[in-house]
Amino acid sequence: MGSAVDAKDAPSRLLKVAAAQVGAVHRWSDRADTLNRLIRLLEEAAQTGALLVLFPELALTTFFPRYFIADENELASFFEHGEDVTGSKNTKKLFQRAHELGVDICVGYAERTTDGHSYNTCVYYSARLQRVITKYRKSHLPGTQEPCKDPGAINQLEKRYFEEGQEGFRAFRVPGLVDGALKKSLSIDGDASSEGRGDPIVGMLICNDRRWSEAWRVYGLQGTELILCGYNTTAWAPHLHGKHNQSKEQSKADAYFHHKLVMQSNSYTNSCFSICAARCGLDDDEFPLIGGSCIIGPDGRIIAEAQTEDDEVVFAEIDLAACRPGKQTVGDPSLMWRDPEC
Ligand code: CDT
């Protein structure tokens, strides 16, 4: 389909973004301390000018699905309860600070609904609107329902603790991030010069979702320009990966390789930016998770990348107009992207 504006002439839509990578959080870590670490990362990102900060999957606690937890009270302590995650004593300060700083956040947590359902969830909080504008529940739950028979195994019991999200992959527009974004009321119907110039179109994934191309493609077909993906990826889990003879070093190298492979290739094939944020480091001084938080362009190249496996802000200024050549010339039938406000 033709366009009135060549990709090379598309006006810039600049946006400063950050990934807030979070290092080791232990089973015994105090939740208030962990929350304060997230707030420090948010403040550091805000100082760089970031208007959007992504936090990891299950950012508020250790990665508890690695344990078989028989005690219901302990299990419940890892969850946020009820509909309004912004109001919980475990989270309130983070959302308040985001509002004060004028920075949008996407943050992952374990959700327990009032009627007793459990999900691995993330929300997108708009500082400008002062509310959660979208919630996503993880679709691809990895691991097993039952713990491994070997008592020395590192488990992955997400299928035990969570239900699969059923809402699918719904892209959404975020107001207030990009200067001069066109609104439907300001654009001329059928005027192709408005294509790709509305508010940013964003999609959310959680960890294992990033390995499945259909998740990306469903977002891609809605014209998504920016994918947000928090994760906890173990660097060493021979029982899960079925590679008992592999060294810890090789296992970790493989985990990094596959992480970057899926993030970079899917960003390229959907001509979108992506941000990914790790929970990483050595949880309980024993369980290694990879870092590798990064910001990737629509050409699949890494723009900025974490240098540590600890708390770290990864920052970049991106131009969403750079999504345009891929979407336009590869022929992405993205109606949402073409219309500034559909
Ligand atoms: N948290 C999470 O989804 N982790 C998975 C582990 C897959 S191996 C069983 C991941 O994709 O990194």
Side-chain angles (χ1 to χ4, degrees), residues 113-162:
T113 65
T114 35
D115 53 356
H117 295 280
S118 300
Y119 301 99
N120 186 337
T121 298
C122 64
V123 287
Y124 188 101
Y125 173 84
S126 162
R128 185 183 191 222
L129 300 179
Q130 235 184 307
R131 63 177 169 83
V132 167
I133 54 176
T134 308
K135 176 186 280 186
Y136 170 73
R137 292 170 172 157
K138 187 173 182 175
S139 304
H140 301 92
L141 298 176
T144 57
Q145 180 106 26
E146 296 301 327
C148 297
K149 296 216 164 27
D150 179 349
I154 301 173
N155 285 296
Q156 229 293 8
L157 296 171
E158 287 192 56
K159 289 188 173 77
R160 182 177 197 87
Y161 298 134
F162 303 121

Side-chain angles (χ1 to χ4, degrees), residues 48-185:
T48 67
L51 286 184
L52 165 56
V53 178
L54 170 67
F55 289 95
E57 171 192 37
L58 302 177
L60 307 168
T61 66
T62 195
F63 186 70
F64 67 89
R66 71 165 67 88
Y67 316 109
F68 176 77
I69 303 172
D71 178 347
E72 271 306 317
N73 288 330
E74 186 188 6
L75 185 59
S77 75
F78 289 109
F79 283 80
E80 301 313 309
H81 299 259
E83 194 43 42
D84 178 20
V85 69
T86 67
S88 141
K89 73 170 178 12
N90 297 319
T91 62
K92 200 173 185 165
K93 272 172 59 182
L94 178 66
F95 292 101
Q96 268 176 355
R97 196 73 188 112
H99 169 60
E100 286 160 11
L101 294 167
V103 176
D104 287 12
I105 60 173
C106 172
V107 58
Y109 64 100
E111 175 190 15
R112 173 116 359 127
T113 65
T114 35
D115 53 356
H117 295 280
S118 300
Y119 301 99
N120 186 337
T121 298
C122 64
V123 287
Y124 188 101
Y125 173 84
S126 162
R128 185 183 191 222
L129 300 179
Q130 235 184 307
R131 63 177 169 83
V132 167
I133 54 176
T134 308
K135 176 186 280 186
Y136 170 73
R137 292 170 172 157
K138 187 173 182 175
S139 304
H140 301 92
L141 298 176
T144 57
Q145 180 106 26
E146 296 301 327
C148 297
K149 296 216 164 27
D150 179 349
I154 301 173
N155 285 296
Q156 229 293 8
L157 296 171
E158 287 192 56
K159 289 188 173 77
R160 182 177 197 87
Y161 298 134
F162 303 121
E163 295 160 58
E164 287 171 4
Q166 297 297 334
E167 292 82 5
F169 306 102
R170 294 169 300 166
F172 55 100
R173 289 204 184 263
V174 180
L177 290 183
V178 164
D179 285 343
L182 293 186
K183 300 289 176 196
K184 198 170 191 114
S185 53

Side-chain angles (χ1 to χ4, degrees), residues 4 16 56 68 124 138 170 173 197 229 260 269 276 311:
K16 291 177 178 161
F68 176 77
Y124 188 101
K138 187 173 182 175
R170 294 169 300 166
R173 289 204 184 263
R197 293 176 57 195
C229 181
K260 289 186 186 173
T269 54
C276 53
D311 290 9

